[in-house]
Amino acid sequence: MSVISYRQALHDALRSEMLRDEDVFLIGEEIGLFEGSYKITAGMLAEFGPKRVRDTPIAEEGFTGAAIGAAMLGLRPVVEIMTINFSLLALDQIVNHAAKIYGMFGGQARVPLVIRTPGGGGQQLGATHSQNIELYYAFVPGMKVVAPSSPADAKALMLAAIRDDDPVLVLENLALYNTIGEVPDHDEPAEIGKAAITRHGADVTVVAYSRMAAVALQVAEHLEGENIDVEVVDLRSLRPLDRDTIIASVKKTSCAVVLEDDWLTYGIGAEIAATISDGAFDWLDAPVRRVAMAEVPLPYAKSLETAALPSADDAITAIRETLDAVTRRRPI
Protein backbone atom coordinates (compact mmCIF):
# COMPACT_ATOMS: atom_id res chain seq x y z
CA MET A 1 0.00 0.00 0.00
CA SER A 2 1.02 3.58 -0.66
CA VAL A 3 -0.57 6.64 0.94
CA ILE A 4 -1.21 9.09 -1.90
CA SER A 5 -3.70 11.70 -3.02
CA TYR A 6 -6.76 11.19 -5.21
CA ARG A 7 -4.97 13.34 -7.82
CA GLN A 8 -1.85 11.15 -7.73
CA ALA A 9 -3.93 7.96 -7.91
CA LEU A 10 -5.53 9.14 -11.16
CA HIS A 11 -2.12 10.09 -12.55
CA ASP A 12 -0.64 6.72 -11.61
CA ALA A 13 -3.51 4.82 -13.24
CA LEU A 14 -3.14 6.76 -16.50
CA ARG A 15 0.63 6.28 -16.57
CA SER A 16 0.35 2.58 -15.76
CA GLU A 17 -2.09 1.96 -18.60
CA MET A 18 -0.02 3.95 -21.07
CA LEU A 19 3.00 1.84 -20.18
CA ARG A 20 0.96 -1.37 -20.43
CA ASP A 21 -0.86 -0.66 -23.71
CA GLU A 22 0.52 1.44 -26.57
CA ASP A 23 -3.02 1.97 -27.89
CA VAL A 24 -3.85 4.19 -24.90
CA PHE A 25 -3.38 7.91 -25.53
CA LEU A 26 -4.50 11.14 -23.86
CA ILE A 27 -6.26 14.02 -25.57
CA GLY A 28 -7.63 17.31 -24.27
CA GLU A 29 -7.04 20.97 -23.60
CA GLU A 30 -3.71 21.95 -22.01
CA ILE A 31 -2.91 18.40 -20.87
CA GLY A 32 0.58 18.42 -22.39
CA LEU A 33 2.73 21.52 -22.00
CA PHE A 34 0.59 22.89 -19.15
CA GLU A 35 0.24 19.39 -17.63
CA GLY A 36 -3.52 19.72 -17.15
CA SER A 37 -5.60 22.27 -15.30
CA TYR A 38 -5.50 20.04 -12.20
CA LYS A 39 -2.07 18.51 -12.92
CA ILE A 40 -3.37 14.98 -13.39
CA THR A 41 -1.21 14.62 -16.51
CA ALA A 42 1.95 16.11 -15.00
CA GLY A 43 5.05 14.66 -16.67
CA MET A 44 3.09 12.73 -19.28
CA LEU A 45 4.17 14.74 -22.31
CA ALA A 46 7.84 14.46 -21.39
CA GLU A 47 7.57 10.70 -20.89
CA PHE A 48 5.28 9.68 -23.75
CA GLY A 49 5.66 12.45 -26.33
CA PRO A 50 3.14 14.50 -28.33
CA LYS A 51 1.81 11.54 -30.32
CA ARG A 52 0.27 10.02 -27.19
CA VAL A 53 -0.38 13.21 -25.19
CA ARG A 54 -2.34 15.39 -27.57
CA ASP A 55 -2.99 19.04 -26.75
CA THR A 56 -6.11 20.34 -28.49
CA PRO A 57 -7.81 23.64 -29.23
CA ILE A 58 -10.71 24.73 -27.00
CA ALA A 59 -13.14 22.63 -29.03
CA GLU A 60 -14.79 19.92 -26.92
CA GLU A 61 -17.10 18.70 -29.66
CA GLY A 62 -14.20 18.41 -32.10
CA PHE A 63 -11.66 16.55 -29.97
CA THR A 64 -14.30 14.29 -28.41
CA GLY A 65 -15.47 13.36 -31.90
CA ALA A 66 -11.89 12.71 -32.99
CA ALA A 67 -11.42 10.44 -29.97
CA ILE A 68 -14.58 8.49 -30.83
CA GLY A 69 -13.25 7.89 -34.33
CA ALA A 70 -9.89 6.77 -32.95
CA ALA A 71 -11.65 4.36 -30.57
CA MET A 72 -13.68 2.87 -33.42
CA LEU A 73 -10.41 2.12 -35.24
CA GLY A 74 -8.86 0.28 -32.29
CA LEU A 75 -7.16 2.88 -30.11
CA ARG A 76 -8.08 3.59 -26.49
CA PRO A 77 -8.33 7.36 -26.07
CA VAL A 78 -8.68 9.03 -22.68
CA VAL A 79 -10.34 12.41 -23.14
CA GLU A 80 -9.87 15.08 -20.50
CA ILE A 81 -12.68 17.63 -20.44
CA MET A 82 -11.59 20.43 -18.13
CA THR A 83 -14.85 20.36 -16.17
CA ILE A 84 -18.06 18.42 -16.65
CA ASN A 85 -19.77 21.72 -17.46
CA PHE A 86 -17.82 21.92 -20.73
CA SER A 87 -18.94 18.42 -21.67
CA LEU A 88 -22.23 20.02 -22.69
CA LEU A 89 -20.41 21.30 -25.76
CA ALA A 90 -19.70 17.67 -26.70
CA LEU A 91 -23.10 16.30 -25.65
CA ASP A 92 -24.09 15.28 -29.18
CA GLN A 93 -20.84 13.37 -29.71
CA ILE A 94 -21.11 11.58 -26.36
CA VAL A 95 -24.83 10.80 -26.32
CA ASN A 96 -25.61 10.35 -30.02
CA HIS A 97 -22.37 8.73 -31.15
CA ALA A 98 -20.17 7.23 -28.41
CA ALA A 99 -23.12 5.70 -26.58
CA LYS A 100 -24.99 4.45 -29.64
CA ILE A 101 -22.49 3.30 -32.27
CA TYR A 102 -22.14 -0.25 -30.95
CA GLY A 103 -25.91 -0.79 -30.86
CA MET A 104 -26.81 1.06 -34.04
CA PHE A 105 -24.30 -0.82 -36.16
CA GLY A 106 -24.96 -4.29 -34.80
CA GLY A 107 -21.71 -4.61 -32.88
CA GLN A 108 -19.50 -3.98 -35.92
CA ALA A 109 -17.60 -1.27 -34.06
CA ARG A 110 -16.93 -0.68 -30.39
CA VAL A 111 -16.01 2.61 -28.71
CA PRO A 112 -13.46 1.93 -25.94
CA LEU A 113 -13.42 5.58 -24.93
CA VAL A 114 -12.82 7.16 -21.52
CA ILE A 115 -13.98 10.68 -20.72
CA ARG A 116 -12.54 11.91 -17.44
CA THR A 117 -13.84 15.15 -16.06
CA PRO A 118 -14.24 16.85 -12.67
CA GLY A 119 -17.50 18.24 -11.35
CA GLY A 120 -18.84 19.67 -8.14
CA GLY A 121 -19.11 22.98 -6.34
CA GLY A 122 -17.50 24.55 -3.33
CA GLN A 123 -14.63 26.23 -5.18
CA GLN A 124 -16.35 29.59 -5.89
CA LEU A 125 -16.33 29.01 -9.63
CA GLY A 126 -19.86 30.25 -10.26
CA ALA A 127 -23.02 28.55 -11.45
CA THR A 128 -21.78 27.52 -14.91
CA HIS A 129 -18.56 25.93 -13.62
CA SER A 130 -19.85 24.14 -10.50
CA GLN A 131 -22.51 21.75 -11.71
CA ASN A 132 -23.18 18.10 -10.96
CA ILE A 133 -24.70 16.97 -14.25
CA GLU A 134 -23.56 13.35 -14.22
CA LEU A 135 -27.25 12.43 -14.43
CA TYR A 136 -27.19 13.50 -18.09
CA TYR A 137 -24.81 10.64 -18.88
CA ALA A 138 -26.04 8.05 -16.36
CA PHE A 139 -29.43 8.43 -18.06
CA VAL A 140 -28.13 7.17 -21.43
CA PRO A 141 -28.06 3.44 -22.35
CA GLY A 142 -24.72 2.61 -23.93
CA MET A 143 -22.75 4.75 -21.49
CA LYS A 144 -21.05 3.67 -18.30
CA VAL A 145 -20.52 6.23 -15.53
CA VAL A 146 -18.24 5.73 -12.54
CA ALA A 147 -17.74 8.07 -9.59
CA PRO A 148 -14.78 7.26 -7.32
CA SER A 149 -14.83 8.77 -3.82
CA SER A 150 -11.39 7.69 -2.57
CA PRO A 151 -7.84 7.53 -3.94
CA ALA A 152 -8.02 3.71 -4.06
CA ASP A 153 -11.21 3.77 -6.11
CA ALA A 154 -9.87 6.59 -8.30
CA LYS A 155 -7.04 4.31 -9.40
CA ALA A 156 -9.03 1.07 -9.62
CA LEU A 157 -11.98 2.57 -11.49
CA MET A 158 -9.73 4.45 -13.92
CA LEU A 159 -7.91 1.21 -14.71
CA ALA A 160 -11.26 -0.50 -15.28
CA ALA A 161 -12.56 2.33 -17.46
CA ILE A 162 -9.53 2.29 -19.76
CA ARG A 163 -9.70 -1.49 -20.20
CA ASP A 164 -13.45 -1.49 -20.86
CA ASP A 165 -14.66 -1.86 -24.43
CA ASP A 166 -17.54 0.60 -23.95
CA PRO A 167 -17.51 4.38 -23.43
CA VAL A 168 -17.00 5.23 -19.76
CA LEU A 169 -17.33 8.64 -18.13
CA VAL A 170 -15.12 8.92 -15.05
CA LEU A 171 -16.62 11.53 -12.75
CA GLU A 172 -13.99 13.18 -10.58
CA ASN A 173 -14.71 15.83 -7.95
CA LEU A 174 -12.76 19.03 -7.44
CA ALA A 175 -13.13 18.76 -3.65
CA LEU A 176 -11.54 15.30 -3.64
CA TYR A 177 -8.33 15.92 -5.58
CA ASN A 178 -6.23 16.64 -2.48
CA THR A 179 -7.73 13.95 -0.25
CA ILE A 180 -5.29 11.28 0.93
CA GLY A 181 -5.75 7.55 1.33
CA GLU A 182 -4.19 4.12 1.05
CA VAL A 183 -3.91 2.79 -2.49
CA PRO A 184 -2.76 -0.72 -3.45
CA ASP A 185 0.53 -0.79 -5.33
CA HIS A 186 -0.81 -3.38 -7.77
CA ASP A 187 -2.80 -2.50 -10.90
CA GLU A 188 -5.98 -4.43 -10.19
CA PRO A 189 -9.04 -2.81 -11.82
CA ALA A 190 -12.33 -2.45 -9.97
CA GLU A 191 -15.53 -4.04 -11.20
CA ILE A 192 -17.67 -1.43 -12.93
CA GLY A 193 -21.23 -1.73 -11.70
CA LYS A 194 -20.34 -2.96 -8.20
CA ALA A 195 -21.04 -0.78 -5.16
CA ALA A 196 -18.98 -1.02 -1.98
CA ILE A 197 -20.13 -1.14 1.62
CA THR A 198 -17.47 1.13 3.07
CA ARG A 199 -18.84 0.87 6.60
CA HIS A 200 -21.06 -1.82 8.05
CA GLY A 201 -23.88 -0.84 10.39
CA ALA A 202 -27.26 -1.94 11.69
CA ASP A 203 -29.43 1.14 12.26
CA VAL A 204 -29.64 3.02 8.95
CA THR A 205 -28.30 2.74 5.41
CA VAL A 206 -26.72 5.83 3.87
CA VAL A 207 -26.34 5.62 0.08
CA ALA A 208 -24.00 8.12 -1.58
CA TYR A 209 -21.40 8.59 -4.31
CA SER A 210 -18.41 10.77 -5.13
CA ARG A 211 -17.82 13.57 -2.56
CA MET A 212 -20.91 12.70 -0.56
CA ALA A 213 -19.70 9.12 -0.06
CA ALA A 214 -16.68 10.57 1.72
CA VAL A 215 -18.97 12.85 3.73
CA ALA A 216 -21.12 9.82 4.62
CA LEU A 217 -18.14 8.14 6.29
CA GLN A 218 -17.46 11.28 8.35
CA VAL A 219 -21.12 11.39 9.38
CA ALA A 220 -21.08 7.71 10.35
CA GLU A 221 -18.02 8.25 12.53
CA HIS A 222 -19.65 11.26 14.22
CA LEU A 223 -22.92 9.44 14.92
CA GLU A 224 -21.09 6.46 16.39
CA GLY A 225 -20.66 8.66 19.45
CA GLU A 226 -24.45 8.84 19.74
CA ASN A 227 -24.76 5.04 19.47
CA ILE A 228 -26.20 5.32 15.95
CA ASP A 229 -24.77 2.55 13.78
CA VAL A 230 -24.64 3.75 10.16
CA GLU A 231 -24.03 1.51 7.16
CA VAL A 232 -22.52 3.37 4.18
CA VAL A 233 -23.07 2.19 0.61
CA ASP A 234 -20.73 3.92 -1.85
CA LEU A 235 -22.27 3.47 -5.29
CA ARG A 236 -18.93 3.84 -7.15
CA SER A 237 -20.85 3.26 -10.41
CA LEU A 238 -23.93 5.22 -11.49
CA ARG A 239 -24.48 3.21 -14.65
CA PRO A 240 -24.67 0.29 -14.31
CA LEU A 241 -26.21 0.74 -10.85
CA ASP A 242 -25.70 -1.98 -8.25
CA ARG A 243 -29.30 -2.24 -7.11
CA ASP A 244 -28.75 -5.57 -5.34
CA THR A 245 -26.26 -4.13 -2.84
CA ILE A 246 -28.54 -1.17 -2.08
CA ILE A 247 -31.58 -3.38 -1.53
CA ALA A 248 -29.70 -5.90 0.62
CA SER A 249 -28.41 -3.14 2.87
CA VAL A 250 -31.83 -1.55 3.33
CA LYS A 251 -33.38 -4.93 4.11
CA LYS A 252 -30.77 -5.23 6.86
CA THR A 253 -31.27 -1.78 8.44
CA SER A 254 -34.91 -0.99 7.46
CA CYS A 255 -34.03 2.70 7.00
CA ALA A 256 -32.38 4.67 4.21
CA VAL A 257 -30.98 8.15 3.65
CA VAL A 258 -29.61 9.13 0.23
CA LEU A 259 -26.89 11.78 -0.12
CA GLU A 260 -26.08 13.48 -3.43
CA ASP A 261 -24.35 16.64 -4.61
CA ASP A 262 -26.75 17.32 -7.46
CA TRP A 263 -30.23 18.85 -7.40
CA LEU A 264 -32.97 16.92 -5.65
CA THR A 265 -35.53 16.97 -8.46
CA TYR A 266 -35.01 14.20 -11.04
CA GLY A 267 -31.63 13.40 -9.50
CA ILE A 268 -29.63 10.21 -8.97
CA GLY A 269 -31.21 10.04 -5.52
CA ALA A 270 -34.65 9.73 -7.06
CA GLU A 271 -33.54 6.59 -8.88
CA ILE A 272 -32.05 5.16 -5.69
CA ALA A 273 -35.25 5.91 -3.76
CA ALA A 274 -37.30 4.19 -6.49
CA THR A 275 -34.93 1.21 -6.36
CA ILE A 276 -35.46 0.90 -2.60
CA SER A 277 -39.23 1.22 -3.01
CA ASP A 278 -39.25 -1.51 -5.66
CA GLY A 279 -36.95 -3.91 -3.85
CA ALA A 280 -37.23 -3.27 -0.12
CA PHE A 281 -40.56 -1.53 0.50
CA ASP A 282 -41.84 -4.15 2.94
CA TRP A 283 -38.68 -3.82 5.03
CA LEU A 284 -38.84 -0.01 5.43
CA ASP A 285 -39.69 1.35 8.87
CA ALA A 286 -39.65 4.98 7.64
CA PRO A 287 -39.78 6.84 4.33
CA VAL A 288 -36.53 7.18 2.37
CA ARG A 289 -34.96 10.57 3.09
CA ARG A 290 -32.93 12.46 0.48
CA VAL A 291 -30.30 15.14 1.03
CA ALA A 292 -29.23 17.16 -2.00
CA MET A 293 -28.24 20.59 -3.24
CA ALA A 294 -30.61 23.53 -3.13
CA GLU A 295 -32.65 23.96 -6.31
CA VAL A 296 -30.75 27.03 -7.49
CA PRO A 297 -27.88 27.83 -9.84
CA LEU A 298 -24.96 27.59 -7.43
CA PRO A 299 -24.10 31.08 -6.11
CA TYR A 300 -20.60 32.56 -6.33
CA ALA A 301 -20.57 34.18 -2.88
CA LYS A 302 -18.92 31.75 -0.47
CA SER A 303 -21.57 32.00 2.22
CA LEU A 304 -24.38 31.37 -0.27
CA GLU A 305 -22.47 28.61 -2.04
CA THR A 306 -21.90 26.83 1.27
CA ALA A 307 -25.57 27.21 2.21
CA ALA A 308 -26.69 25.72 -1.12
CA LEU A 309 -24.45 22.64 -1.04
CA PRO A 310 -25.41 19.58 1.02
CA SER A 311 -23.33 19.22 4.19
CA ALA A 312 -22.49 16.70 6.88
CA ASP A 313 -24.87 18.56 9.21
CA ASP A 314 -27.70 18.14 6.68
CA ALA A 315 -26.99 14.41 6.53
CA ILE A 316 -26.87 14.09 10.32
CA THR A 317 -30.21 15.87 10.65
CA ALA A 318 -31.81 13.59 8.04
CA ILE A 319 -30.51 10.45 9.77
CA ARG A 320 -31.73 11.58 13.18
CA GLU A 321 -35.16 12.49 11.82
CA THR A 322 -35.42 9.14 10.04
CA LEU A 323 -34.63 7.21 13.21
CA ASP A 324 -37.01 9.43 15.22
CA ALA A 325 -39.77 8.54 12.76
CA VAL A 326 -39.03 4.86 13.29
CA THR A 327 -39.28 5.25 17.05
CA ARG A 328 -42.60 7.07 16.80
CA ARG A 329 -44.11 4.36 14.58
CA ARG A 330 -43.03 1.39 16.67
CA PRO A 331 -45.44 0.29 19.41
CA ILE A 332 -44.29 0.76 23.00
Side-chain angles (χ1 to χ4, degrees):
M1 288 281 189
S2 299
V3 178
I4 59 175
S5 69
Y6 188 103
R7 182 195 317 273
Q8 186 66 42
L10 291 168
H11 171 276
D12 290 354
L14 292 174
R15 181 175 181 272
S16 174
E17 288 302 284
M18 292 183 75
L19 289 169
R20 186 186 67 85
D21 185 349
E22 291 186 354
D23 288 335
V24 177
F25 74 96
L26 313 181
I27 182 170
E29 299 162 359
E30 299 184 336
I31 64 169
L33 287 172
F34 190 65
E35 300 188 320
S37 295
Y38 304 103
K39 304 307 176 186
I40 308 298
T41 54
M44 296 289 199
L45 179 62
E47 182 170 6
F48 295 103
K51 183 177 180 180
R52 297 185 67 196
V53 182
R54 308 299 296 264
D55 272 326
T56 70
I58 302 175
E60 286 79 5
E61 183 179 21
F63 65 73
T64 301
I68 292 169
M72 292 174 67
L73 292 174
L75 298 179
R76 291 186 174 271
V78 180
V79 176
E80 176 177 314
I81 296 182
M82 195 178 296
T83 77
I84 197 169
N85 311 277
F86 302 141
S87 72
L88 296 176
L89 296 163
L91 195 63
D92 178 60
Q93 292 290 350
I94 299 168
V95 171
N96 277 333
H97 298 285
K100 295 183 173 63
I101 282 170
Y102 179 76
M104 287 180 65
F105 296 101
Q108 295 180 77
R110 302 208 74 128
V111 185
L113 167 77
V114 174
I115 298 171
R116 45 164 301 265
T117 185
Q123 315 301 313
Q124 282 192 279
L125 297 175
T128 60
H129 289 66
S130 305
Q131 299 179 99
N132 295 277
I133 53 174
E134 54 272 9
L135 175 66
Y136 290 15
Y137 303 105
F139 177 68
V140 180
M143 288 293 299
K144 295 179 181 177
V145 179
V146 298
S149 67
S150 68
D153 276 354
K155 180 180 179 181
L157 286 168
M158 182 63 75
L159 293 172
I162 294 173
R163 297 181 193 185
D164 201 284
D165 287 332
D166 294 315
V168 183
L169 185 137
V170 179
L171 175 69
E172 301 162 12
N173 190 287
L174 294 170
L176 294 176
Y177 277 145
N178 292 327
T179 57
I180 303 295
E182 288 189 340
V183 177
D185 294 324
H186 60 70
D187 291 337
E188 185 68 29
E191 180 183 349
I192 294 177
K194 184 66 176 174
I197 298 179
T198 53
R199 187 185 189 279
H200 292 273
D203 293 334
V204 59
T205 295
V206 173
V207 185
Y209 68 93
S210 191
R211 181 185 77 92
M212 292 307 288
V215 170
L217 288 174
Q218 298 168 11
V219 166
E221 183 177 352
H222 175 85
L223 289 175
E224 188 176 11
E226 300 179 20
N227 293 319
I228 297 175
D229 195 13
V230 177
E231 179 150 296
V232 178
V233 177
D234 183 347
L235 293 178
R236 302 170 85 221
S237 173
L238 304 182
R239 188 178 190 106
L241 183 63
D242 185 356
R243 301 179 193 273
D244 290 343
T245 295
I246 298 168
I247 290 167
S249 178
V250 175
K251 285 182 176 180
K252 172 185 172 184
T253 65
S254 299
C255 296
V257 175
V258 182
L259 311 181
E260 56 187 322
D261 253 336
D262 54 358
W263 294 297
L264 186 76
T265 305
Y266 310 116
I268 300 290
E271 184 63 30
I272 298 166
T275 294
I276 295 168
S277 179
D278 287 345
F281 180 80
D282 289 339
W283 282 263
L284 285 174
D285 287 337
V288 177
R289 293 292 301 270
R290 295 162 56 199
V291 176
M293 196 181 99
E295 302 262 336
V296 296
L298 197 64
Y300 171 79
K302 188 62 179 177
S303 59
L304 295 177
E305 182 184 45
T306 300
L309 289 170
S311 68
D313 286 343
D314 295 332
I316 289 169
T317 298
I319 291 168
R320 287 174 178 159
E321 290 177 353
T322 297
L323 294 176
D324 286 346
V326 172
T327 302
R328 289 194 302 271
R329 291 182 63 180
R330 285 176 178 165
I332 297 174

